[in-house]
Amino acid sequence: ARAGVPVFHAGMVGEEGDGFLEACRKSGVDTTWIRQIPGKSGHTIIQLDKHAQNCILLYGGSNRQITKEFVEEVLSHFEKRDILLLQNEINELDYIIDKAYERGMQIALNPSPLDSALDACDLKKISIFLLNEIEGGQISGETEPEKILDVMMEKFPDSRVVLTLGSDGVMYRDRE
């Protein structure tokens, strides 16, 4: 948004979400689709070790209060080729992916934190995977970055994969 690209943020924030909303607005993010609801906002604690590997602790809070009706309302304002960026911290992820795919949107997914909720998602509908070695290993069954990327491309040949490697940087793969 600060670079001039139209950015919309959708979701639920808790009672203490005023600071987040203000930061979004100050940065030029359209907050039309953020709803402030009773209760606490979802949040994470991200721990990094000395090798820049992370461990994420998640409290779902308001992030787990998404409804199918809200999804329909938000996505009705977007169209083919718009980019939807998702992280596996919200509920209704499978529904969101299906509806965005039906609209022809490009879907970028960070599957973190990897859990059983992803089992309900059709990951073949994902345009771009943004994942680290741990998540890549969990999805692919491999541990070596090159092999993770090989399996990801076998499973999801129409996707692009960005694999972060902690302090060793990042790798990218697509069908070409």
Side-chain angles (χ1 to χ4, degrees), residues 68-137:
K68 290 179 179 176
E69 294 78 17
F70 180 70
V71 171
E72 294 284 346
E73 178 185 0
V74 171
L75 291 182
S76 72
H77 296 276
F78 297 91
E79 57 193 33
K80 186 175 185 171
R81 300 178 54 77
D82 283 338
I83 299 171
L84 175 64
L85 176 61
L86 298 168
Q87 185 161 351
N88 189 28
E89 292 183 357
I90 59 174
N91 64 312
E92 300 295 352
L93 193 63
D94 58 332
Y95 188 78
I96 296 167
I97 289 169
D98 290 346
K99 292 301 177 180
Y101 186 82
E102 287 173 13
R103 297 188 75 76
M105 297 178 75
Q106 294 183 62
I107 305 165
L109 174 67
N110 178 335
S112 179
L114 203 78
D115 62 17
S116 61
L118 284 176
D119 295 342
C121 298
D122 184 353
L123 298 181
K124 292 189 183 302
K125 295 177 178 176
I126 303 303
S127 307
I128 306 164
F129 286 94
L130 307 164
L131 62 163
N132 66 28
E133 287 176 281
I134 305 301
E135 297 141 5

Side-chain angles (χ1 to χ4, degrees), residues 7-23:
V7 173
F8 300 82
H9 196 306
M12 308 290 174
V13 295
E15 298 162 345
E16 78 293 348
D18 292 330
F20 173 74
L21 288 167
E22 180 57 31

Side-chain angles (χ1 to χ4, degrees), residues 20-41:
F20 173 74
L21 288 167
E22 180 57 31
C24 285
R25 291 180 187 124
K26 189 174 182 179
S27 293
V29 174
D30 187 319
T31 60
T32 301
W33 306 112
I34 299 177
R35 301 287 182 265
Q36 197 162 17
I37 62 174
K40 297 291 182 188
S41 292

